[in-house]
Amino acid sequence: MSSSHIWGSIPFPPGDNDTDTAFGGGHFNLTVLNELDYHLFENGTVSNFTKCFLAFQPYTPTYLFPNGTFQNHTSCYTALYPIGVRSGTGIGFGVLFGIALILTLVNLRKHGALYVERSKRFFPISRRWQWYWSIIVCGLALVSLFTNVDVDRYYVMNNPIIFTSFFWFLMQFGIISLVWEAVRHWGSWNERQIVDANPYAVRQEGRRYNTELLLPIFFYFWVWLNFFLIIPRSWTSIQLQRSPEQILIRAKPAATDGRFKAAGFCLFVAWLTIIGSLAHSIKHLHTRRDGAVGKVMDTCRSVPIRFVLLLLLALFIVAFQILVAFQWDYSPLNAKGNVVAIYMGGYVPTLLILAVQTVYGFIAPNEDLELIRQRRERGEETNRELGIVPKPSWWSRLRGNNQPASMRDIVARNVNEISGKQRTAPAPQPASDASPTGPGGGDVELTEPLNKSGSQPMSPGAEGAPPYGTPSYGGSSEQRRTERTMRQAPGILFPASDPASPSRAEEEAPPSYDESTARRGVSRNGSERGTTPSISNQPPQQIRSMLDV
């Protein structure tokens, strides 16, 4: 192939004879160069489109072997130049994105921690996704910026421009997803607060619920369409910026083709979806006045200032991606593009979004802790309405209840309370006739209970007194009340066993046979019924525990 048909190639200069050529201060076999299809280019390189070597001093090869191998050669794809403006600016932005990555990890640890029980309706990953996307964006930005360093240093453009452009587009994909997750979770957080106060306030059905299920699918459809229009393609043409002719014929048309243009508009549809999600959350979860003007004003007041900044910066990102699909001079794919435009439009909005998220993360509390605070405030408000004054924290320690009792002690205390067992026997109090509380002279709680006629009960030996008469007791009022209850329980549970209250059969009609015989368990014909004892002839049942009841 003639060298005139190759872009940027020039004829080999003549040498000492017809089979010799001289360039870069050395002489080489022209016949071998032609046989292996080597060409000399205007930028001082010699290449056969498989191998490329520098052909100027001090990188010129010293000798060419008959098999086409150069001795002491230097590859064209070598970082020869120092760091330029684009590379130095990229290093500075890389440091800023590294700091943003560290702060994002701190916020993820703060807001991702759980302090309340997990709910099937609100998953913890919902609040973590915005921080996950922040980490992804920081990582992609670091790769894009540090591979951008070699864009200025390479003598012949090769893979660095592809790597920095590839990860830059992925970064745009991630930052829009970050804004989406922040807005979507804000609506979920509002719903969670409402449901925590009233579980039936927001139902999981209807148009609102179905819309919230479909909005994420619709958003990620357009974002992934942007991804598939840009990423899975041949990037070889982007690196062909080795001469002005290559840029015009290969690199520029590839960087401004229809796929890049369509991808930018897909990202704009995704941005509009974020606006729709925000409006949907405000409509269903925030109170608005009637009337068009009132609704618009209430909607604007309901939007947090954080989302105003995020949405404006995200719109600027979308607009810049559409711009570079039409203007080659401002595109990050252009190795010699406008550095100010590349960083101000391609990296500054993303960095500002991360900064806004970081400030919000440090200011806003953990959602679980905020939910606990709201529950405590609602409980205090309910106590105030009911007039309940909670005891201070030192109350239990003052009363001696600060030590947890063992299960054995709890069971023993319950048994003693039921059985009425006296633990201490205080000295009997002397009787006083002038005591207004009765003959015992004690407190009202220590006196004997009055009978139906209002008089004191009879002693066990008195006539007509029940067989289980009231014994003398000198314990505390609580113990005496327990003992009195235990004595009265048989008569309540088994009325027939109380001699003082006749059975219903005795009240309605007299028995047709001898009462004494019936009570002894003897039938009319004189046969003894030993297997059927009379209830009224049994002693009163003494209840010792709740199991007897």
Side-chain angles (χ1 to χ4, degrees), residues 269-286:
V269 176
W271 183 84
L272 293 177
T273 307
I274 299 175
I275 297 293
S277 176
L278 181 62
H280 172 81
S281 299
I282 294 174
K283 175 182 177 181
H284 292 278
L285 302 176
H286 287 258

Side-chain angles (χ1 to χ4, degrees), residues 464-510:
Y468 52 90
T470 305
S472 175
Y473 193 86
S476 63
S477 60
E478 183 64 28
Q479 293 172 343
R480 186 170 183 82
R481 208 167 27 244
T482 303
E483 184 67 23
R484 187 165 62 247
T485 304
M486 299 298 295
R487 289 196 307 269
Q488 294 174 356
I492 297 174
L493 298 176
F494 306 101
S497 63
D498 190 355
S501 58
S503 62
R504 181 172 297 180
E506 294 175 349
E507 292 178 356
E508 292 178 356

Side-chain angles (χ1 to χ4, degrees), residues 29 32 35-36 63-69:
N29 192 326
V32 175
E35 287 179 355
L36 297 177
Y63 183 75
L64 177 61
F65 293 97
N67 61 357
T69 303

Side-chain angles (χ1 to χ4, degrees), residues 28-335:
F28 303 95
N29 192 326
L30 183 59
T31 304
V32 175
L33 293 173
N34 290 331
E35 287 179 355
L36 297 177
D37 199 22
Y38 276 102
H39 301 274
L40 184 64
F41 292 90
E42 296 175 349
N43 58 0
T45 60
V46 57
S47 173
N48 64 350
F49 303 102
T50 301
K51 299 178 182 180
C52 182
F53 308 105
L54 300 180
F56 56 89
Q57 291 292 342
Y59 307 103
T60 307
T62 57
Y63 183 75
L64 177 61
F65 293 97
N67 61 357
T69 303
F70 286 93
Q71 185 180 13
N72 295 332
H73 65 273
T74 302
S75 175
C76 296
Y77 313 111
T78 304
L80 299 180
Y81 299 130
I83 293 177
V85 177
R86 177 167 178 165
S87 301
T89 308
I91 293 175
F93 273 87
V95 173
L96 295 178
F97 275 100
I99 296 174
L101 176 60
I102 296 174
L103 298 178
T104 300
L105 292 174
V106 173
N107 282 322
L108 174 61
R109 185 178 183 274
K110 173 185 176 181
H111 293 275
L114 300 179
Y115 297 94
V116 298
E117 187 178 356
R118 297 190 180 188
S119 172
K120 293 182 178 180
R121 184 169 181 178
F122 303 101
F123 296 98
I125 198 174
S126 174
R127 52 181 155 164
R128 297 173 183 168
W129 261 120
Q130 54 185 319
W131 307 110
Y132 290 156
W133 278 117
S134 298
I135 295 173
I136 293 173
V137 168
C138 290
L140 294 173
L142 288 173
V143 175
S144 176
L145 290 167
F146 284 112
T147 56
N148 185 58
V149 173
D150 287 334
V151 172
D152 289 343
R153 302 183 67 227
Y154 264 48
Y155 182 75
V156 174
M157 193 53 55
N158 195 23
N159 292 329
I161 189 63
I162 295 178
F163 289 152
T164 186
S165 303
F166 183 87
F167 287 101
W168 180 80
F169 278 106
L170 287 178
M171 184 186 69
Q172 307 296 299
F173 169 86
I175 198 63
I176 297 299
S177 300
L178 185 156
V179 177
W180 157 259
E181 290 297 337
V183 173
R184 181 204 58 79
H185 176 67
W186 179 74
S188 177
W189 166 234
N190 288 332
E191 180 181 347
R192 185 184 182 191
Q193 295 178 86
I194 296 173
V195 171
D196 189 72
N198 182 7
Y200 305 102
V202 182
R203 300 180 302 172
Q204 289 184 286
E205 59 183 4
R207 180 180 299 177
R208 180 202 62 83
Y209 179 72
N210 295 330
T211 303
E212 291 180 357
L213 288 179
L214 295 177
L215 276 176
I217 300 175
F218 186 78
F219 170 81
Y220 280 110
F221 168 78
W222 292 101
V223 171
W224 281 105
L225 190 59
N226 172 271
F227 173 85
F228 285 112
L229 286 173
I230 293 177
I231 302 303
R233 59 179 299 152
S234 176
W235 289 81
T236 306
S237 299
I238 303 300
Q239 69 179 358
L240 298 178
Q241 304 181 36
R242 299 156 188 169
S243 65
E245 292 82 2
Q246 272 191 340
I247 294 175
L248 293 175
I249 298 175
R250 299 293 299 275
K252 183 178 178 179
T256 58
D257 62 1
R259 294 183 61 176
F260 280 107
K261 294 181 176 66
F265 286 102
C266 291
L267 209 62
F268 179 69
V269 176
W271 183 84
L272 293 177
T273 307
I274 299 175
I275 297 293
S277 176
L278 181 62
H280 172 81
S281 299
I282 294 174
K283 175 182 177 181
H284 292 278
L285 302 176
H286 287 258
T287 304
R288 298 186 302 170
R289 293 173 293 179
D290 296 333
V293 178
K295 290 182 178 180
V296 172
M297 294 180 63
D298 291 341
T299 300
C300 294
R301 278 196 294 263
S302 300
V303 178
I305 186 63
R306 174 171 68 110
F307 291 157
V308 175
L309 299 175
L310 292 183
L311 290 172
L312 291 177
L313 293 171
L315 180 61
F316 192 86
I317 290 173
V318 174
F320 184 76
Q321 187 174 127
I322 296 175
L323 175 66
V324 300
F326 290 90
Q327 294 293 329
W328 166 256
D329 295 336
Y330 305 129
S331 176
L333 283 71
N334 185 359

Side-chain angles (χ1 to χ4, degrees), residues 348-393:
V348 170
T350 301
L351 190 61
L352 290 177
I353 289 177
L354 294 174
V356 171
Q357 282 290 100
T358 301
V359 173
Y360 158 77
F362 282 108
I363 294 177
N366 179 281
E367 293 181 0
D368 285 358
L369 297 179
E370 176 65 18
L371 213 59
I372 293 173
R373 186 191 63 81
Q374 293 179 10
R375 293 174 181 176
R376 183 170 60 250
E377 288 184 352
R378 290 196 298 268
E380 293 174 355
E381 181 65 25
T382 303
N383 291 340
R384 284 193 296 268
E385 293 177 357
L386 298 177
I388 299 175
V389 179
K391 295 181 177 62
S393 59

